[in-house]
Amino acid sequence: MGKFVLHRLLQAIPVLLVVITATFFLVRSAPGGPFSAEKAVPPAVLKALEARYQLDQPVLNQYFSYLGDLAAGDLGPSFRFPGRSVNEMIYAGLPATAELGLYALLISMLLGTTAGVIAALKPNTAQDYIPMSTAMIGICLPSFLLGPLMMLVFGIWLEWVPISGWGNIPGDKILPALTLASGYTAYVARLSRGGMLEVMSQDYIRTARAKGLPEWIVVIKHGLRGGLIPVVAFAGPAFAGLLSGSFVVETIFQIPGLGRFYVQAAFNRDYTMIMGTTVFFAALIILFNLLSDILAVWLNPKLRQQTNGDSG
Amino acid sequence: MALLEVDNLSIWFHTRNGVVKAIDSVSFSVAEGETLAIVGESGSGKSVCCYSLLGLIPSPPGNIESGTAIFDGRDLLTLSERELRKVRGSKIATIFQDPMTSLNPYLTIGEQLIEPLLYHRAMSRKDARGRAIQLLDEVGIPGAKQRFDSYAHEFSGGMRQRVMIAMALIAEPRLLIADEPTTALDVTIQAQTLQLIADLQKQRNLAVIFISHDLAVVAGIADRVAVMKDGQFVEYGPTEAVFDRAQHPYTQSLLAAIPGGAKPGSPATSSSSPDSPLIEISHLKTWFNGTEETTSNATVKAVDDVSLSITKNEILGIVGESGSGKSTLGRSILQLVKTTSGSIKFDGEELCGLTPHQLIPYRRRIQMIFQDPYASLNPRMTVFDALAEPLRYHGLATRKTVLPQVLNLMDDVGLAASAMRKYPHEFSGGQRQRIAIGRAIATKPEFIVADEPVSALDVTIQAQILELILRLVEKHNLTMLFISHDLSVVRYICDRVAVMHGGELIESGATETLWHHPQTPYAQSLLAAVPRLSSRSS
């Protein structure tokens, strides 16, 4: 197993390097710069600013100096928020984003697998069609539509929950978590339905039934292990996606998370902030994909032993 | 008084394309200590018949239309799902065909073994574990205590089936349904497994329903035989009567289709013509995960120092159990796998070490027929496409001549010209194998490697395809390497036979000589394990 993990971590280095390089040059090739705002800056000041942030140097020099800082763990200073470093801003925004993402992940996993498994047990009946068509709606409805809709219904008409904020009023975390989770819940439901349908038609399920086991034991003990492997494999990328894709929900619900910095940075041409968040998210995506893969291997006894055999 | 009495059972499947009468007015009975064999070809309804008794057929579409099945005083067909569950695994247990797919890969075999005891006998885990280890020991699993926590993939095929048998018997059922329990096993393992079932049956006075497509297997073990065709019993009676005085023409054709004899025609003809060999293999080694310099524990010596030659117009049979390297040998000749060392000469020219481009002319002259025609034919190509492709690729047909050539080929392999535009899924298994054979002979090859070409076919279809192969070999002057695990088939079709074991060629000779006077102990054990119709008298 150790060898497998090490191998995958080494593979991540070139991937990250490609992401860094592509973002670095793409951002700089976009028209405008961090200091070309609507209010024109005097040429002398602009020159001084560029010198300070080394923007007057050749692009390649900037690139290698950025790589050097990055290797030391320094994402650089923010261009638009003088005096604050990108590291500080990520550190400030991450807790809210991570908390929101974790709630959304838990909701989507629990709701999604339950719906998917229930649907798979009686395929092509109402028990299948109702959760699955609801899931389809969940996939189709974008969060910028679902969010305001839920605010309207549950916040303003029914007055059940607060409609914005984060951690100020009890219950203000419910709507954003649900909104963010909806698309993923639907996808998990479809994945687990497919996985369970496949597994429940296997010969060993017939064996379990022939042993006279109660149906719920057949489903939970013999079915779930194999049926949910696709969901486990999806959980990692899903969490990374929830973290990096939460900016719409953060904006709608006024949450001080990382996603908002990300979008603002893109509009502001805040080079270091764009780079910093992209690299950070890329690393997260790679890490969670890896965790997912390890879990999927560990769940399958055959693969588990093979990878153990390789390292030992 | 019989343990199970089934009377007038009918099961219909209500599908979109109409009603299929899977089981049509079937009656039978089994007594304690007795073995009833239900024999039939695939799709005859023999499995549905037994699964319906346990409520294991999918419903809908399956529906029990009529009948009674009195087991131990109660009608199984009227029991609720809850009551039926108490019968399943407890009073009636089942062994399935493929032990690999029938065991849960995610749970240890120990966990699966003790389940019937936990749910039917309310036994504690500790007691159940003790009982399971005892039973594993009884079915012949070495080191039962250590293997309790192993997974299914850590066992060989034969050991897995022993685990299945232990699992079926652990709650001490009174009736055992064995659905093709030895079909996926090698012949020596099959013999051992059959013996094990017979021993356990005797000790426990078990009633056994043995479902099989193989009459020869059934002949050795059954007290009574039912022959099933299209959902009906066409023949039903004591084993002796069915085999010696078969009444129904279908039973007679089944019996006639069993490859029982020597190759038709004089067996000596092949050795009388001292032709130069077409294929000459010397010291061939095909190893995986390693070369002769860099061997490790992971190195698999699939083919290890094999030398043999095949003369023109000869059919050489390669027999061996799974993992013996017989398929790898075939693939090595075709250069589909990389050989490690040694030489393969085709018509005097060396094949090993040629580049893919240099191999092209040989690809035309050497062809292959695979075991599963459904998997090896492209589902998106019609028969015409499949047969025309090799002709066009090797430049053997022009736009004008391709159609008559394809029709010619179809006629050769016994396919109607009207089937030309059909896709593989529209054919039966036997017809698909005819297409695959047509594709192989399309390029007018000199040499064909046939890898288990009839193993996936029913016995009557198998007989037809073997006839076809013999006829084509004669007509087109073919030379053939015929790989099979079925010694009766090999005896029927091959001039010479070579026995492989553990990657090595351990014995070879003229078919009849080897059949009657095997020299090596392994060949002797292999031949002794072959189920024969005549074995029931002994």
Side-chain angles (χ1 to χ4, degrees):
Chain A
M1 197 61 118
K3 202 172 169 184
F4 167 73
V5 173
L6 188 71
H7 189 70
R8 288 288 304 265
L9 283 175
L10 285 177
Q11 276 181 335
I13 294 173
V15 174
L16 267 180
L17 207 62
V18 169
V19 170
I20 294 165
T21 313
T23 332
F24 189 90
F25 290 104
L26 271 178
V27 165
R28 273 165 178 71
S29 67
F35 310 114
S36 56
E38 57 274 26
K39 203 168 72 182
V41 186
V45 178
L46 184 69
K47 201 150 179 131
L49 277 170
E50 286 188 338
R52 185 172 161 214
Y53 292 118
Q54 296 173 355
L55 289 176
D56 53 349
Q57 308 241 341
V59 178
L60 269 183
N61 284 12
Q62 294 181 32
Y63 174 67
F64 286 113
S65 114
Y66 183 80
L67 279 187
D69 288 348
L70 191 65
D74 181 9
L75 294 169
S78 167
F79 286 178
R80 289 295 291 228
F81 298 95
R84 297 187 70 183
S85 75
V86 175
N87 290 43
E88 277 169 29
M89 291 176 69
I90 289 180
Y91 190 71
L94 187 62
T97 300
E99 195 184 345
L100 175 65
L102 197 65
Y103 292 153
L105 183 74
L106 288 178
I107 292 171
S108 60
M109 287 293 146
L110 285 177
L111 270 182
T113 49
T114 312
V117 169
I118 286 174
L121 294 184
K122 287 245 168 93
N124 303 322
T125 61
Q127 189 179 322
D128 179 16
Y129 292 142
I130 293 169
M132 280 305 119
S133 39
T134 317
M136 205 63 222
I137 295 171
I139 288 180
C140 296
L141 270 187
S143 49
F144 58 79
L145 185 63
L146 186 67
L149 211 66
M150 295 228 285
M151 279 180 177
L152 188 67
V153 176
F154 299 105
I156 295 172
W157 291 350
L158 296 170
E159 296 189 12
W160 286 355
V161 280
I163 56 167
S164 79
W166 187 251
N168 305 322
I169 320 165
D172 62 359
K173 293 177 180 175
I174 294 175
L175 280 191
L178 279 177
T179 309
L180 185 57
S182 71
Y184 288 91
T185 309
Y187 197 68
V188 167
R190 290 172 64 86
L191 271 182
S192 46
R193 176 182 181 268
M196 281 305 278
L197 269 185
E198 163 105 31
V199 165
M200 293 307 283
S201 67
Q202 295 289 318
D203 286 350
Y204 61 81
I205 296 297
R206 183 181 62 185
T207 310
R209 290 200 176 118
K211 279 194 271 187
L213 304 181
E215 189 64 18
W216 66 272
I217 289 184
V218 174
V219 172
I220 290 176
K221 188 168 165 188
H222 289 264
L224 278 188
R225 254 290 185 70
L228 293 190
I229 281 182
V231 176
V232 170
F234 174 66
F239 189 52
L242 285 167
L243 292 183
S244 58
S246 63
F247 61 89
V248 176
V249 175
E250 287 180 15
T251 310
I252 297 171
F253 290 94
Q254 303 283 313
I255 298 166
L258 198 51
R260 284 169 68 202
F261 291 143
Y262 198 8
V263 180
Q264 280 170 12
F267 284 125
N268 290 339
R269 302 278 186 279
D270 190 342
Y271 291 166
T272 42
M273 189 67 200
I274 299 175
M275 291 295 301
T277 33
T278 306
V279 170
F280 182 69
F281 281 140
L284 275 186
I285 290 173
I286 291 170
L287 179 70
F288 284 116
N289 269 309
L290 177 62
L291 288 179
S292 232
D293 286 354
I294 292 172
L295 197 58
V297 165
W298 184 79
L299 277 176
N300 187 331
K302 197 170 177 180
L303 291 177
R304 192 183 348 169
Q305 281 163 1
Q306 276 171 3
T307 48
N308 278 343
D310 284 351
S311 63
Chain B
M1 177 61 198
L3 180 66
L4 172 72
E5 284 238 37
V6 174
D7 188 42
N8 198 28
L9 178 68
S10 289
I11 297 160
W12 295 1
F13 280 77
H14 299 265
T15 69
R16 252 173 239 175
N17 302 326
V19 172
V20 179
K21 295 184 180 179
I23 304 293
D24 194 7
S25 308
V26 161
S27 305
F28 61 90
S29 66
V30 209
E32 283 182 334
E34 184 191 42
T35 302
L36 167 73
I38 302 181
V39 184
E41 303 197 329
S42 44
S44 61
K46 52 195 194 300
S47 295
V48 171
C49 182
C50 292
Y51 294 167
S52 67
L53 303 178
L54 296 169
L56 286 178
I57 52 164
S59 172
N63 187 43
I64 296 168
E65 302 287 329
S66 74
T68 54
I70 310 293
F71 175 80
D72 206 13
R74 286 195 300 172
D75 186 356
L76 292 175
L77 303 182
T78 59
L79 293 185
S80 69
E81 171 62 25
R82 208 186 151 79
E83 290 168 310
L84 207 51
R85 216 157 45 214
K86 288 185 189 150
V87 175
R88 287 205 295 257
S90 165
K91 304 226 168 63
I92 304 179
T94 322
I95 312 173
F96 298 99
Q97 175 172 351
D98 187 347
M100 181 71 228
T101 60
S102 299
L103 287 168
N104 191 327
Y106 301 107
L107 299 175
T108 62
I109 59 125
E111 182 60 36
Q112 298 179 62
L113 266 168
I114 61 173
E115 275 180 330
L117 294 179
L118 300 182
Y119 297 109
H120 292 302
R121 303 283 177 266
M123 212 182 251
S124 73
R125 288 186 86 80
K126 189 163 166 281
D127 292 349
R129 185 189 160 95
R131 176 76 192 107
I133 290 171
Q134 197 186 336
L135 193 56
L136 281 177
D137 199 43
E138 198 182 331
V139 298
I141 304 244
K145 208 166 186 175
Q146 290 78 40
R147 303 309 298 270
F148 186 82
D149 293 313
S150 302
Y151 291 92
H153 70 266
E154 298 172 77
F155 291 86
S156 67
M159 286 295 148
R160 268 182 222 134
Q161 197 57 294
R162 283 167 193 260
V163 171
M164 280 296 286
I165 291 170
M167 201 162 86
L169 296 181
I170 197 157
E172 299 296 337
R174 301 177 63 194
L175 171 65
L176 178 69
I177 297 174
D179 187 0
E180 305 256 11
T182 60
T183 307
L185 303 178
D186 280 322
V187 57
T188 51
I189 311 291
Q190 163 170 293
Q192 291 164 13
T193 310
L194 290 174
Q195 188 58 48
L196 175 68
I197 294 175
D199 290 346
L200 293 168
Q201 175 181 25
K202 200 171 274 172
Q203 287 161 21
R204 289 168 165 76
N205 202 23
L206 264 177
V208 175
I209 299 180
F210 194 97
I211 303 172
S212 181
H213 70 283
D214 192 333
L215 278 167
V217 165
V218 162
I221 56 161
D223 299 305
R224 279 182 303 138
V225 176
V227 179
M228 199 157 194
K229 184 182 193 299
D230 300 331
Q232 291 177 317
F233 280 3
V234 295
E235 191 106 27
Y236 177 45
T239 310
E240 292 293 318
V242 170
F243 281 93
D244 295 341
R245 299 179 294 278
Q247 302 293 316
H248 197 277
Y250 179 70
T251 317
Q252 289 161 359
S253 73
L254 272 187
L255 287 166
I258 297 174
K263 181 172 174 153
S266 121
T269 47
S270 61
S271 51
S272 65
S273 53
D275 275 342
S276 60
L278 183 67
I279 294 272
E280 238 185 324
I281 299 169
S282 57
H283 303 289
L284 179 72
K285 290 180 184 171
T286 303
W287 293 1
F288 299 112
N289 299 326
T291 62
E292 281 173 293
E293 291 78 38
T294 61
T295 50
S296 69
N297 289 342
T299 305
V300 179
K301 300 180 178 179
V303 174
D304 199 20
D305 203 9
V306 167
S307 301
L308 61 86
S309 61
I310 311 172
T311 44
K312 276 182 180 142
N313 301 339
E314 182 185 45
I315 304 181
L316 174 70
I318 300 279
V319 296
E321 306 196 331
S322 48
S324 62
K326 54 192 195 301
S327 284
T328 308
L329 175 64
R331 280 156 197 267
S332 300
I333 297 175
L334 278 118
Q335 296 288 304
L336 293 175
V337 290
K338 199 175 177 307
T339 54
T340 308
S341 71
S343 110
I344 301 169
K345 284 208 170 89
F346 173 73
D347 210 5
E349 287 158 272
E350 180 62 47
L351 294 182
C352 292
L354 292 185
T355 63
H357 186 76
Q358 290 169 318
L359 273 170
I360 291 174
Y362 298 101
R363 290 265 178 259
R364 183 190 72 71
R365 298 168 68 188
I366 307 176
Q367 285 287 326
M368 182 147 189
I369 304 170
F370 298 92
Q371 173 173 358
D372 184 351
Y374 199 43
S376 57
L377 287 170
N378 187 331
R380 286 174 188 79
M381 283 168 82
T382 62
V383 176
F384 176 81
D385 295 334
L387 296 181
E389 187 184 48
L391 291 172
R392 286 189 182 128
Y393 177 76
H394 289 287
L396 299 170
T398 61
R399 191 176 287 276
K400 275 190 187 134
T401 62
V402 72
L403 183 68
Q405 272 176 291
V406 166
L407 285 172
N408 218 346
L409 273 175
M410 291 182 68
D411 185 51
D412 243 2
V413 295
L415 287 168
S418 57
M420 196 169 66
R421 299 287 169 198
K422 287 190 182 171
Y423 289 90
H425 72 267
E426 297 175 80
F427 293 92
S428 67
Q431 285 172 315
R432 271 184 221 129
Q433 196 59 294
R434 285 174 193 269
I435 302 170
I437 292 171
R439 190 197 51 72
I441 63 167
T443 60
K444 303 218 181 309
E446 292 144 65
F447 181 64
I448 291 181
V449 174
D451 192 353
E452 303 266 10
V454 295
S455 303
L457 304 175
D458 279 323
V459 59
T460 51
I461 310 295
Q462 170 176 305
Q464 291 164 14
I465 297 293
L466 289 177
E467 287 303 327
L468 175 70
I469 289 174
L470 279 179
R471 189 163 60 73
L472 291 174
V473 164
E474 183 87 358
K475 181 174 172 187
H476 296 287
N477 284 325
L478 291 168
T479 307
M480 186 177 272
L481 184 77
F482 191 97
I483 300 166
S484 180
H485 71 282
D486 189 331
L487 283 95
S488 311
V489 166
V490 166
R491 184 186 178 202
Y492 180 74
I493 199 165
C494 297
D495 305 302
R496 273 196 313 134
V497 182
V499 182
M500 279 189 80
H501 182 54
E504 291 173 41
L505 200 148
I506 56 168
E507 186 168 351
S508 70
T511 307
E512 286 307 303
T513 317
L514 193 134
W515 186 268
H516 293 291
H517 309 287
Q519 299 299 313
T520 55
Y522 178 73
Q524 286 161 4
S525 70
L526 208 56
L527 280 162
V530 175
R532 296 159 211 231
L533 283 183
S534 55
S535 67
R536 71 205 141 88
S537 49
S538 59

